[in-house]
Amino acid sequence: MQKVWILVLRLILSSCLSLCTLPVPGWHVAANLGPRLPGKFCTKFNDDSVKHDTQRTCKNYIDVYVNSLDSPQTVLPFEYSRFDFCQSNKAALSTQNLGQVLSGHSLQLSPLQIVFLKNQKCKVLCRKVYKQGNRKSEQQLHFLKQAIKWGYQHNWVVDDLPVRFCIEIVGSSRSEYCTAGFPVGCYMNGTKSTCFSNPRFNQENVFYINNHLDIIIGYQKIFSEAAGTENVGNADIYHIAYAQVKPKSIGYQVEHNSSHDECSNVRSAAKSMSIPFGRLLDEISITYTYTVRFEEIQGQTFLSRWDRVSSAVNVEIFWFSLFNTLIEVAFMALLILVGFRRSRREFSRYKHGEKSENCSKQVVPGWLQLRGKVFRPPRRCKMLLASFIGNGVQILTTVVVTLSLAVFGLLVPANRGGLLSCIVFSYFASGLPSGFVAAKIYNSFYRVSRCQKGSNLALTGVTAFLCPGLIFAVIFILNLIHQYKGSALVIPFQYAAALVSMWIGVSVPLTWLGIFLGSGKKSHVHTEKLSETDGFPSSDIVRLSGNRCHLCGQIYRLLIGGTLPFGSLFIQLFFIMNSLWFHQIFTHYGFLSMTVVLYAILCGLTTIVLCFFQLRKENSSWRWQSFLGAGFTGVYIFLDSIRYFFLKSEITGIASSLLYFGYSLIIAFVMFLLSGTLGYLACFLFVSKMYGR
């Protein structure tokens, strides 16, 4: 046994070391949780302090980072360097954590040079020329036109804040709608157009590229009540409140002077930078320019910086959804309470041998005589059921840990990839409770501990490899599609190896350890094989048995079991879908946590009610029914994703459709395991309380 423990510790240590020795620097960023403070900027400081100050308490320049480009019409983000845009001479940002890689974030330093509090007039960034007959130029221009056609948008970052793009809304209570990203351009077509309402974009089958950006940066002076305005030497300290961009398409008639970076004053205000449809027939020159303007704001704290870029949602809809779910929970709890009290009275009355007034014999309903059957193991797939419940507990632990960190502000959007990294690490580290619960459930099916007889390895294999293996297989297929398309969501080999190392070196040993601990003692459940009339007088019993159509009951319990839990998640699912497929920022973790708590309660109560009706029909096969009935929530979620795909989303193309349904299938399967586990555990407690000694 000592050698086994040493082997397990070696596997865990080797897996942890594999995370620290990845070739990509900055892997440690994954552990940087908590709100990230905004940077400090100043305009005056002495040169010696700048040269020798390694802490860089303030700086007078602003770094602008460019992220991968994405589109609501595809599930294929591409890195900024894949496009023929202006590139920086500096090296790309190398600090990437696991979550950034899995979510396709690839930050690179942009060539923009912005000095704090220095307004800049039109300044030339670079100039791109595409010549006819040059194959490379034609390919680059074609890829750029495809990005415009599919609605790809830039994602820029300034001081950990996404650069927002606002659209004026006519005839609405809100004056503008802002998103974290601005379009590459727009494409005019009679049936489909990605252009916003602009009279300058009036030609059919023409691509308009946004080659000019008006950058607006809002700043605020840092103020301290104790010390007044903070300063370093003679320099006042500021922080950036927001960054906004107004893209424009400008066709320059005269190029800028080669000896200056300022734009030429000769331009046509009514002419846009257009790219004709079809093959390149003539030389096309695109000049990228930008302006910078600073605005001072008052009365905003750094904690509210994300309010300007997060998805603007009326929170009343969340409160309305929570109120409806709370009413459903109260109704189901009241129904269970009334039914439970009545059933216990009947149990107590007939247990003491009370007889009917019109009959000399005792009349006992059949469902009260199921005490010797309800604790029998399922007829088929005992180990599979135990492994499903163990994986559901692992997912439940991951959800609890992740939402707890998010509610306490440790997973803010500024920590890009932090949420996904936390989910992955929490899942692999939750193998211990998964194995422990799986062993307890599996042992409860037998009068003696089967795991002590050699079934621990088989249960470990099924629990640790079946469900995670299915998820990894789907992810592997989706990764092949990303690899074929050259997407930024491709998982590199070193990160894939790290994930497999964590799975084999951390999750599997912890699962085995949990099964070992869970099978150490006999499970304290009702596994005795009781007689069918146990607890009642064996003589003078008349059994009341009604018409039992078990197949009909199984069908409607499967259909009804996931309806109410799915209804409690519907509103949150809509905004989560928008966050995933429309690339909106989701920050309402408080409402999400309350919804998940009510969902778990409602899932358990609904399963208990259906289990009670099932037992009243003298059907004691409640184990798989309780799991599948609650797990049907995952089926409803997948059906809702199909509805969302055809009615709400803008996703087109075979590859993007396959990716969409692949990711939706993973989400539905995870919710199937989670909901089924909640339903089974709730029904198990109910049956133990009802029929227990």
Side-chain angles (χ1 to χ4, degrees):
M1 182 59 65
Q2 185 178 3
K3 293 182 179 180
V4 175
W5 282 104
I6 294 175
L7 178 61
V8 172
L9 291 176
R10 285 182 178 178
L11 287 174
I12 295 175
L13 290 176
S14 63
S15 177
C16 295
L17 290 175
S18 66
L19 301 180
C20 302
T21 57
L22 288 176
V24 180
W27 179 269
H28 60 278
V29 179
N32 293 337
L33 301 178
R36 302 179 62 164
L37 298 178
K40 295 181 180 180
F41 299 90
C42 52
T43 56
K44 298 178 182 178
F45 43 82
N46 87 41
D47 296 334
D48 293 333
S49 64
V50 175
K51 293 180 180 179
H52 301 288
D53 186 9
T54 58
Q55 297 181 354
R56 302 176 67 89
T57 55
C58 70
K59 54 184 179 180
N60 67 333
Y61 60 91
I62 300 176
D63 290 328
V64 180
Y65 293 95
V66 292
N67 205 345
S68 301
L69 282 76
D70 51 41
S71 169
Q73 300 182 29
T74 66
V75 196
L76 297 168
F78 293 99
E79 295 183 359
Y80 181 85
S81 58
R82 181 78 182 274
F83 298 88
D84 190 31
F85 296 130
C86 303
Q87 305 291 334
S88 174
N89 296 327
K90 299 181 180 179
L93 185 64
S94 59
T95 55
Q96 283 185 299
N97 55 43
L98 178 62
Q100 286 178 320
V101 174
L102 297 180
S103 57
H105 291 293
S106 178
L107 292 177
Q108 302 176 14
L109 190 64
S110 73
L112 274 71
Q113 298 178 359
I114 300 178
V115 180
F116 186 70
L117 292 186
K118 180 180 180 181
N119 295 331
Q120 298 181 4
K121 295 182 179 179
C122 184
K123 193 171 183 179
V124 173
L125 195 59
C126 70
R127 177 172 175 260
K128 298 292 182 180
V129 179
Y130 303 95
K131 300 180 179 180
Q132 181 185 9
N134 190 326
R135 184 177 180 181
K136 183 178 179 180
S137 295
E138 292 180 350
Q139 290 178 349
Q140 291 174 343
L141 187 62
H142 176 73
F143 192 68
L144 183 60
K145 291 191 293 185
Q146 290 296 111
I148 297 174
K149 181 179 179 180
W150 296 113
Y152 275 83
Q153 56 185 9
H154 291 276
N155 295 289
W156 289 12
V157 179
V158 173
D159 193 29
D160 286 331
L161 279 174
V163 178
R164 64 176 187 171
F165 167 61
C166 298
I167 307 170
E168 295 183 359
I169 301 177
V170 181
S172 175
S173 58
R174 294 171 53 194
S175 59
E176 60 183 10
Y177 173 76
C178 298
T179 60
F182 58 94
V184 175
C186 68
Y187 172 66
M188 285 295 299
N189 195 317
T191 58
K192 183 177 180 180
S193 175
T194 60
C195 297
F196 298 103
S197 178
N198 193 327
R200 297 170 60 184
F201 304 143
N202 51 14
Q203 299 183 23
E204 294 288 339
N205 294 325
V206 172
F207 298 90
Y208 296 95
I209 184 171
N210 293 321
N211 60 328
H212 177 80
L213 301 176
D214 291 331
I215 303 174
I216 304 172
I217 299 177
Y219 67 95
Q220 185 178 17
K221 184 179 295 186
I222 299 177
F223 181 80
S224 174
E225 295 182 358
T229 304
E230 185 180 352
N231 62 79
V232 177
N234 296 324
D236 295 331
I237 305 300
Y238 305 87
H239 73 76
I240 294 177
Y242 66 90
Q244 182 175 337
V245 64
K246 295 181 179 180
K248 297 179 180 179
S249 179
I250 300 177
Y252 291 93
Q253 293 181 347
V254 179
E255 300 298 335
H256 65 285
N257 193 339
S258 59
S259 60
H260 298 84
D261 291 334
E262 299 296 330
C263 301
S264 172
N265 294 325
V266 182
R267 70 175 68 170
S268 176
K271 184 178 179 181
S272 301
M273 185 64 230
S274 59
I275 304 175
F277 185 83
R279 298 188 61 182
L280 186 61
L281 301 178
D282 197 3
E283 180 178 296
I284 294 179
S285 175
I286 302 177
T287 303
Y288 293 92
T289 60
Y290 69 98
T291 63
V292 180
R293 178 166 57 91
F294 288 87
E295 294 181 350
E296 185 175 6
I297 64 172
Q298 301 291 338
Q300 176 178 310
T301 61
F302 77 92
L303 293 177
S304 61
R305 298 199 309 164
W306 282 86
D307 295 343
R308 294 175 176 265
V309 294
S310 61
S311 55
V313 179
N314 190 357
V315 296
E316 292 182 359
I317 190 172
F318 291 127
W319 288 114
F320 180 76
S321 175
L322 291 175
F323 182 73
N324 286 342
T325 306
L326 194 60
I327 292 178
E328 294 176 359
V329 169
F331 175 76
M332 298 298 290
L334 182 62
L335 184 63
I336 292 175
L337 181 62
V338 173
F340 183 77
R341 287 186 175 181
R342 180 181 177 182
S343 301
R344 294 298 291 181
R345 284 197 301 266
E346 292 180 2
F347 228 133
S348 177
R349 183 186 312 123
Y350 293 112
K351 184 176 182 180
H352 292 85
E354 297 183 8
K355 299 180 180 181
S356 175
E357 298 178 356
N358 301 326
C359 184
S360 60
K361 295 184 179 181
Q362 183 186 9
V363 180
V364 181
W367 73 274
L368 292 178
Q369 304 180 40
L370 296 178
R371 190 173 186 178
K373 293 183 178 181
V374 292
F375 297 113
R376 292 178 181 177
R379 297 178 180 178
R380 302 178 182 88
C381 305
K382 303 177 184 62
M383 187 176 292
L384 181 63
L385 178 60
S387 66
F388 277 175
I389 297 172
N391 281 274
V393 170
Q394 188 173 7
I395 296 171
L396 179 62
T397 306
T398 303
V399 171
V400 171
V401 172
T402 304
L403 286 181
S404 300
L405 295 177
V407 168
F408 286 103
L410 299 179
L411 296 176
V412 295
N415 294 326
R416 289 168 180 82
L419 178 63
L420 195 54
S421 298
C422 180
I423 292 175
V424 173
F425 294 145
S426 300
Y427 178 78
F428 287 134
S430 302
L432 183 64
S434 171
F436 184 83
V437 174
K440 287 294 183 182
I441 295 297
Y442 188 64
N443 285 340
S444 69
F445 297 155
Y446 299 94
R447 299 188 61 178
V448 294
S449 180
R450 291 294 297 270
C451 290
Q452 291 180 350
K453 291 187 175 182
S455 299
N456 53 346
L457 293 180
L459 184 59
T460 301
V462 175
T463 305
F465 288 97
L466 179 60
C467 295
L470 292 175
I471 295 176
F472 268 85
V474 176
I475 292 177
F476 176 76
I477 296 174
L478 299 180
N479 193 54
L480 292 180
I481 299 177
H482 286 297
Q483 184 74 36
Y484 176 75
K485 291 292 185 178
S487 169
L489 282 175
V490 175
I491 303 177
F493 175 77
Q494 62 269 26
Y495 287 93
L499 290 174
V500 175
S501 300
M502 285 190 293
W503 179 21
I504 304 299
V506 177
S507 181
V508 174
L510 288 177
T511 303
W512 177 86
L513 180 61
I515 292 176
F516 177 78
L517 297 176
S519 61
K521 294 182 180 180
K522 184 176 180 296
S523 181
H524 297 285
V525 294
H526 309 277
T527 57
E528 297 85 354
K529 187 176 181 180
L530 304 175
S531 64
E532 192 169 318
T533 60
D534 183 64
F536 301 97
S538 58
S539 62
D540 297 336
I541 291 180
V542 176
R543 176 169 178 168
L544 297 181
S545 178
N547 184 19
R548 296 174 291 176
C549 180
H550 295 334
L551 180 60
C552 299
Q554 291 174 2
I555 294 176
Y556 87 78
R557 278 191 294 271
L558 287 179
L559 296 177
I560 297 177
T563 304
L564 292 180
F566 170 74
S568 65
L569 295 175
F570 181 77
I571 298 298
Q572 291 290 343
L573 280 175
F574 176 78
F575 291 102
I576 292 175
M577 289 288 188
N578 288 342
S579 176
L580 289 175
W581 311 120
F582 284 95
H583 311 288
Q584 298 178 1
I585 299 175
F586 184 85
T587 57
H588 306 285
Y589 295 114
F591 287 107
L592 180 60
S593 301
M594 291 186 288
T595 302
V596 169
V597 172
L598 293 178
Y599 149 77
I601 298 174
L602 187 60
C603 193
L605 295 179
T606 305
T607 309
I608 290 175
V609 171
L610 295 177
C611 181
F612 177 75
F613 290 153
Q614 179 180 353
L615 294 176
R616 296 282 293 192
K617 290 181 177 294
E618 304 181 34
N619 184 358
S620 60
S621 303
W622 59 270
R623 296 184 184 271
W624 270 112
Q625 281 293 310
S626 61
F627 183 87
L628 295 177
F632 217 75
T633 304
V635 178
Y636 284 122
I637 290 177
F638 186 74
L639 295 177
D640 181 69
S641 66
I642 297 176
R643 177 200 63 84
Y644 187 89
F645 177 82
F646 289 103
L647 299 181
K648 296 294 182 181
S649 72
E650 302 176 1
I651 297 176
T652 56
I654 297 178
S656 296
S657 301
L658 291 176
L659 291 172
Y660 173 86
F661 286 110
Y663 290 124
S664 299
L665 185 62
I666 293 176
I667 296 174
F669 182 65
V670 168
M671 293 302 299
F672 167 76
L673 295 176
L674 177 60
S675 304
T677 300
L678 294 173
Y680 179 89
L681 295 178
C683 192
F684 179 81
L685 294 176
F686 171 76
V687 172
S688 300
K689 184 68 175 177
M690 177 67 70
Y691 290 94
R693 289 188 181 275

